[in-house]
Amino acid sequence: MKIPQAGQEIYIPSALYLGHGADDVQGGKTTITEVIRNDRLPHDHLNSLFVTVKAIGKQTQYNYRSLLEKQDELKAEFGDQQAMPDPDMRPEFNTGW
């Protein structure tokens, strides 16, 4: 597996959160802004590599290997659609649980 680089495009899935809807995300294409390596794990471990993306910011880290496995599926689903925050600010979806 090739190590990702900041500036590389990648697809992310949509995410809807019951307890913190302010963090909801509309999936699509975005740009990797940071690569986070966990050097305490073997380089081929599932959780050894995470990325942050431009559309969402640093508050969410994505498991790179998991995203990599889904790229064809996500590209078919989202095409050229750009990923973006899609916050749901209703109080009942921001209880913080």
Side-chain angles (χ1 to χ4, degrees):
M1 177 188 75
K2 188 175 177 181
I3 303 297
Q5 301 294 314
Q8 177 182 330
E9 286 194 332
I10 194 164
Y11 286 89
I12 61 169
S14 295
L16 303 172
Y17 301 99
L18 294 177
H20 51 104
D23 294 329
D24 287 359
V25 173
Q26 187 177 83
K29 190 178 356 179
T30 187
T31 304
I32 294 173
T33 55
E34 182 179 10
V35 178
I36 302 119
R37 296 185 72 162
N38 184 341
D39 293 329
R40 294 177 298 206
L41 296 172
H43 74 280
D44 59 346
H45 190 281
L46 174 67
N47 293 320
S48 66
L49 200 56
F50 285 78
V51 295
T52 61
V53 297
K54 183 178 180 181
I56 310 306
K58 291 188 177 213
Q59 74 267 21
T60 302
Q61 296 179 358
Y62 291 90
N63 183 301
Y64 180 71
R65 292 175 196 273
S66 293
L67 282 180
L68 197 57
E69 291 174 1
K70 299 175 185 171
Q71 288 303 289
D72 290 339
E73 174 187 327
L74 293 169
K75 183 177 182 177
E77 181 178 351
F78 295 113
D80 287 332
Q81 177 179 309
Q82 295 293 309
M84 67 182 75
D86 190 15
D88 183 345
M89 301 307 288
R90 294 177 288 175
E92 63 267 31
F93 295 109
N94 286 284
T95 60
W97 60 278

